[in-house]
Amino acid sequence: MLQVENLSKTYGDEIKYEALKKLNLTVNDSEFIGIMGPSGSGKSTFLNLLATIDQPTDGHILLNGRDPNQLNQEEIAKFRRRELGFVFQSFNLMPTLTVEENIVLPLTLDGEKISVMKHQLNRLSERLGITDLLKKRIAEISGGQAQRVAVARAMIHQPQLLLADEPTGNLDTKSSKDVMRLLQQLNENEKATILMVTHDPLAASYCKRIVFIKDGQLVDEIRNNGNQKIFYDEVMMKLAEIEGANSEF
């Protein structure tokens, strides 16, 4: 579904900095993948390239065989709006709009029929447990509820790929667990394909696979065998290994 081939990103002219170095990754339909690594490892750069916010220096990103970087600006905007869904740490919701208006915004921008918007809204809000919030303003709901709304907005147009950037970063432990269970349910029940950047091992333990990036390169990966506690411990051990916490001084 997603094929990343020799992806590289270099910043600067006189003084060059390689943020990503020939990174390769294959993502199949309905996978739930976490992206982890030390600060400055290239995680955010990778996500920005997948999101078409930035362009690679070299290599290719193919989503169902299409390379968005071969499109013009208008086509890229349409591609981003229709093929991708985004969930951010800061929610990025419109405070002047109601919950309902925020959720259907991608469909509104695409000029979708009112009947289609209502059908999708009702289906998603019921599944995500936010039906009673639809008429409220963003300032009237909690952070955990706001992130549920953000997830609903990201999924309203049934994107090919959902990109999540530290989705639990601004949430307390209970809200974090609620949001991660929600993403897990979307992956399992809606067959959503999800890539999530996170530094939180607990959030990562809800994923099916974790890929680790260090110094711009994919250095390792682990898979969830179905036991979340064991997988959490494996994530912790792998992070310590990659970040050098197990090294002798």
Side-chain angles (χ1 to χ4, degrees), residues 1-3 27 29 61-67 79 83 160-161:
M1 188 271 245
L2 175 68
Q3 189 72 41
V27 179
D29 282 331
I61 297 168
L62 302 174
L63 184 61
N64 289 327
R66 296 178 66 198
D67 185 348
F79 175 89
E83 305 296 333
Q160 294 292 317
L161 179 64

Side-chain angles (χ1 to χ4, degrees), residues 34-43 166 197-199 210-215 217 219 239 242-243:
I35 303 168
M36 304 190 80
S39 296
S41 60
K43 302 186 301 296
E166 301 283 7
V197 165
T198 184
H199 69 279
I210 305 292
V211 297
F212 297 90
I213 296 177
K214 182 178 182 180
D215 298 328
Q217 296 177 302
V219 294
L239 282 174
I242 288 172
E243 294 180 6

Side-chain angles (χ1 to χ4, degrees), residues 92-110 114 117-118 121-122 125 130-131 133-138 140-141 149-150 152-154 156:
N92 282 23
L93 298 170
M94 302 287 287
T96 57
L97 303 181
T98 64
V99 165
E100 178 179 359
E101 290 166 342
N102 267 282
I103 294 173
V104 300
L105 186 59
L107 298 182
T108 303
L109 293 173
D110 259 353
I114 298 293
M117 287 196 280
K118 285 185 176 180
L121 176 68
N122 292 336
S125 60
I130 55 174
T131 304
L133 303 178
L134 294 180
K135 301 302 180 183
K136 293 186 176 182
R137 301 281 177 184
I138 301 305
E140 299 176 301
I141 63 177
V149 173
R153 181 190 58 189
I156 191 73

